Amino acid sequence: MLNPPLSLLSDDLIAYIVEHVAKLTFRDKDLYNLSLADRAFTQFCQTHIFRNLELSKSSGSKNGISKELEKTRKILSDKPSFANRVRVFKLAISHNRNAWLFNDHTLIGILQLLAKSPIPPHKLHFGGHSFRPFTLEAPILVVGRLLQSFFSQTLTILHLTQCQNVPLPLFLICPRLREVLLDHVGVTEETYDNYPAEQCSGRESPALELFDYRDSQSLVKQMITPPPRFHTPVVLWSKLRFLTLSPHEKEEMACLQPILDMACNTLEELYLTNLRVDADEQLSLARLVNLSGLSHLHVFALHVIIKCDVRGSAVLRDINIVLGTIPAFNKVTHLSFDFIIFGEHPFGGCLDEDWVGTSDEVIRISAGKPLELDLQTSVSTEILQVEHPGEEELYMHIMEKTASLSDYPKICTHFWNPTCWNQGLPPFPRGQVRSRCRR
């Protein structure tokens, strides 16, 4: 048992300690150890330990999957309190022949045990691997199984990673769905003529609030414009508040403006920050992005690629055109730019980019109101090395090019480059913004 002063801690303080342990790199091991250290921590640790229930088998063996399912079912059956703590259900199977899984009595039994929880899971994650995606062999069966389960009433977050043959009705059968994350997801069905009518119509469309996608444009296109088989929208975009995608793929970016137009009255944060492994050129955005109609936009973040020694490069001029679509009267409070500079010393053409014009647009958007600005720059070459000759001088020159920002006290500019590691300062987190500066 705990001895003073730990024994004097309130439940709130113990919960606070456990919350911080759960954020550590080796959270699972640390939570297990803390749970065993004293019974005062056990219940709080179990809340995090059993929050995620993952059923996965990378070997693809049907026998291996069946054994794992039976092991999980027995644990939940013997300890119903564990099932009560599950909030996230993840299924990561690389077995190509997986139709049997969704008719498997053990899996159905696990779902039934979870359904008895006072608060059943609200997040579902289907995942595969880059070398072997999770291809749904029987998508109609998958939709039907979920429709019969508690997920049709509780699901608020759907996360799909490395999944193929994903059916569009998967979204429509979950009216409470609010967040969708897609990463390397594809669709093969075009007409949905073989799908039951109850899976394609007569349902309340979920109103998304958060949408994050990468390399999933075949599915996103259908979500925007469903086939004629669907008599109602698959999802409603008119309540969307947060949107994240990659700015480096033309087909992916082609889906952006239709979403912006439908979410013009609600979108608050737009992150063009998702990375693509093969991206090495900046896509021209001026004809693909118009921010003029976003009346409630607070945050705009952009990942930018600048290639040195490219004749006539006008990456920043293109970005300035996009920034120029933000009206003079706006609600923008945060701007964030992550510049990756491909090249070597003397970084030809990089300093010829329109850094001054970007600063002018930031000043115009601020219009005298408080604005947080993150400017992150880093050099990248084909050679893996910690330091690049001349990079510190380049960073200083960029700061000089944007010096006019310091004349506006309401604009709080935060610079970051790899030399900041020496002061123990990590880069800005991608896909989110800092809280308002208190200076």
Side-chain angles (χ1 to χ4, degrees), residues 66-210:
S66 297
K67 287 183 177 179
E68 184 173 354
L69 288 173
E70 182 54 40
K71 178 182 177 181
T72 301
R73 187 203 63 77
K74 188 176 187 309
I75 292 174
L76 297 180
S77 179
D78 292 344
K79 294 284 187 178
S81 61
F82 293 170
N84 293 346
R85 291 184 168 90
V86 176
R87 297 293 179 268
V88 181
F89 184 79
K90 180 177 180 180
L91 194 60
I93 305 296
S94 56
H95 197 286
N96 290 329
R97 307 290 293 181
N98 52 60
W100 66 271
L101 179 62
F102 296 92
N103 271 328
D104 185 82
H105 292 295
T106 308
L107 177 62
I108 295 173
I110 291 173
L111 294 177
Q112 290 173 342
L113 289 171
L114 295 175
K116 296 178 181 179
S117 169
I119 307 177
H122 69 277
K123 179 177 179 178
L124 177 64
H125 186 180
F126 283 164
H129 306 278
S130 57
F131 56 90
R132 184 181 289 180
F134 185 6
T135 302
L136 299 180
E137 182 186 12
I140 296 178
L141 173 61
V142 174
V143 174
R145 180 63 61 210
L146 293 177
L147 188 57
Q148 295 171 1
S149 75
F150 59 85
F151 277 121
S152 63
Q153 297 301 318
T154 66
L155 191 67
T156 59
I157 304 174
L158 178 62
H159 190 178
L160 305 177
T161 307
Q162 296 289 349
C163 293
Q164 297 298 319
N165 203 26
V166 174
L168 205 54
L170 189 62
F171 306 97
L172 190 57
I173 64 169
C174 302
R176 297 185 180 182
L177 189 62
R178 295 296 177 263
E179 301 181 15
V180 172
L181 300 93
L182 308 175
D183 193 353
H184 290 80
V185 177
V187 61
T188 55
E189 180 65 49
E190 295 181 358
T191 64
Y192 294 89
D193 288 342
N194 294 325
Y195 278 69
E198 64 270 15
Q199 293 186 8
C200 301
S201 60
R203 297 188 173 277
E204 179 185 356
S205 304
L208 298 188
E209 295 181 1
L210 182 150

Side-chain angles (χ1 to χ4, degrees), residues 372-376 412-416 428 434-437:
E372 299 290 320
L373 173 64
D374 289 344
L375 289 178
Q376 179 168 295
C412 187
T413 305
H414 307 268
F415 290 97
W416 189 93
F428 307 139
R434 67 179 71 247
S435 58
R436 185 70 59 84
C437 186

Side-chain angles (χ1 to χ4, degrees), residues 12-67:
D12 288 342
L13 282 176
I14 293 177
Y16 182 77
I17 293 171
V18 174
E19 285 282 349
H20 279 267
V21 172
K23 296 176 182 178
L24 297 176
T25 304
F26 303 102
R27 64 180 298 276
D28 290 343
K29 180 180 179 181
D30 293 333
L31 285 170
Y32 283 127
N33 290 337
L34 183 60
S35 176
L36 296 173
D38 192 277
R39 283 182 292 177
F41 290 107
T42 302
Q43 182 176 351
F44 294 97
C45 288
Q46 287 182 349
T47 299
H48 292 276
I49 293 172
F50 296 103
R51 176 179 174 80
N52 296 277
L53 176 59
E54 179 175 350
L55 301 175
S56 63
K57 204 67 181 178
S58 58
S59 67
S61 165
K62 180 177 178 180
N63 184 53
I65 298 171
S66 297
K67 287 183 177 179

Side-chain angles (χ1 to χ4, degrees), residues 225-258:
T225 308
R229 180 86 164 97
F230 296 85
H231 303 299
T232 56
V234 175
V235 298
L236 295 178
W237 302 99
S238 56
K239 298 293 182 65
L240 193 68
R241 298 173 57 204
F242 311 100
L243 177 60
T244 305
L245 66 152
S246 169
H248 304 306
E249 208 288 323
K250 193 169 184 178
E251 282 193 43
E252 192 166 327
M253 283 296 296
C255 298
L256 172 61
Q257 195 60 49

Side-chain angles (χ1 to χ4, degrees), residues 214-227:
R214 175 171 53 184
D215 196 18
S216 305
Q217 49 269 22
S218 64
L219 178 58
V220 176
K221 288 178 181 178
Q222 286 194 359
M223 293 175 68
I224 295 172
T225 308

